[in-house]
Amino acid sequence: MENYDHYFAANKELWNKRTAVHKDSSFYDLANFKAGAISLTPIELNEAGDVKGKSLLHLQCHFGLDTMSWSRLGAKCTGVDLSDDAINLAKEINEELKLDVNFICCNIYDLHPQNKNTSKASPLEGLGEAFDIVFTSYGTIGWLPDLDKWAAIISHFLKPGGIFYMADFHPVVWMFDDDFTHIKYYYENKELIVMEDQPTYTDGGGNLTGKEYSWNHSLGEVLNALINAGLEIKLFNEHMYSPYSNFSGSVEAEKGKWYIKGMEGKIPIVYSIKAIKK
């Protein structure tokens, strides 16, 4: 079995660098969040359902604005991310705002000890065996090589009848080059994608030095991983817009709805899934 530790270490270093830029960007608008704003988009707010009084595990949470937003909406939240700088920032914001969110720094594959064939306790030990909701969103699973392990983690930490919800960028989008001029990458997980010295998706920061490693995943791979892990798909939607202006040449044709210029309404940009553990 391939060892991915080198790729994860490089990605962690890049996400630490991104955190330093993202915290001051207008994209994340930290000042407005601290003033009480919710960072979640209408897509997940409309589809995920009421979280009040529910326990929620947020996988790949970056520096936790969405996690803390769910907390503001009444959930008891735990956020997990690979980047220690991101988690440290999340803890600082959480403490400053006097919210009640647990933040854990680790590779999400390490949440379940069976994934590493070790007797070491899970980082989630003591926080409860299972959650009412597992959540992840926007630019997450592309950093993971193995979706079967990912889905097994989701299933393991969901209570029977618990809900998994995700919204992420559509795999069709990841087939294009950065300027959306041609198809560059496979739709399926057939290659390791290596990029170097790339700008981040927010304003500021310029190019960030270092390599990053990612993997494309087809919708079939995502759905089958969840189904095979014992989850029943209750909702699957494809959205023809992005709630963010994070792609090259994006145009806001409607308020809060961003499209790839020249492809408005022609390709899906986001998809969402809601599933229940049987």
Side-chain angles (χ1 to χ4, degrees), residues 26-47:
S26 61
F27 183 94
Y28 281 98
D29 195 5
L30 185 52
N32 197 34
F33 178 81
K34 288 183 177 181
I38 297 294
S39 63
L40 299 160
T41 81
I43 292 175
E44 53 267 28
L45 287 171
N46 291 334
E47 294 180 348

Side-chain angles (χ1 to χ4, degrees), residues 43-44 135-140 165-169 270-273:
I43 292 175
E44 53 267 28
F135 170 79
T136 194
S137 70
Y138 302 109
T140 54
Y165 180 84
M166 71 177 295
D168 211 332
F169 297 112
V270 168
Y271 70 96
S272 54
I273 297 172

Side-chain angles (χ1 to χ4, degrees), residues 68-252:
M68 289 181 275
S69 292
W70 288 124
S71 178
R72 281 175 167 167
L73 293 173
K76 172 61 178 175
C77 298
T78 297
V80 181
D81 197 84
L82 179 70
S83 164
D84 46 355
D85 284 0
I87 289 297
N88 286 338
L89 176 59
K91 289 178 178 179
E92 290 175 10
I93 299 168
N94 181 65
E95 183 176 354
E96 178 183 343
L97 299 180
K98 295 180 171 53
L99 297 172
D100 184 26
V101 179
N102 295 299
F103 285 107
I104 296 170
C105 181
C106 77
N107 186 325
I108 66 164
Y109 285 146
D110 295 340
L111 289 176
H112 194 348
Q114 291 181 4
N115 277 333
K116 300 202 78 172
N117 297 314
T118 177
S119 59
K120 185 179 179 182
S122 166
L124 289 178
E125 187 175 33
L127 295 178
E129 284 298 311
F131 294 80
D132 298 308
I133 302 166
V134 175
F135 170 79
T136 194
S137 70
Y138 302 109
T140 54
I141 60 172
W143 305 103
L144 304 175
D146 188 333
L147 291 194
D148 288 331
K149 285 186 176 181
W150 167 77
I153 290 165
I154 293 165
S155 181
H156 178 78
F157 287 107
L158 267 182
K159 295 177 181 178
I163 291 172
F164 169 67
Y165 180 84
M166 71 177 295
D168 211 332
F169 297 112
H170 202 286
V172 166
V173 172
W174 299 129
M175 296 171 65
F176 286 89
D177 69 309
D178 289 346
D179 295 321
F180 289 89
T181 62
H182 64 280
I183 300 294
K184 184 175 181 179
Y185 303 105
Y186 288 103
Y187 175 74
E188 298 177 311
N189 186 5
K190 297 177 69 172
E191 61 184 332
L192 171 66
I193 299 171
V194 184
M195 304 183 78
E196 189 168 8
D197 299 342
Q198 295 292 305
T200 189
Y201 53 86
T202 68
D203 48 292
N207 287 9
L208 302 179
T209 57
K211 288 185 178 181
E212 61 183 59
Y213 302 90
S214 62
W215 298 263
N216 281 350
H217 301 289
S218 68
L219 291 179
E221 184 185 358
V222 176
L223 291 167
N224 284 321
L226 295 169
I227 291 168
N228 292 336
L231 276 69
E232 182 178 348
I233 308 299
K234 290 296 186 180
L235 173 151
F236 171 72
N237 282 324
E238 294 174 290
H239 307 269
M240 306 304 286
Y241 67 92
S242 169
Y244 302 109
S245 60
N246 58 316
F247 292 111
S248 175
S250 292
V251 293
E252 191 178 21

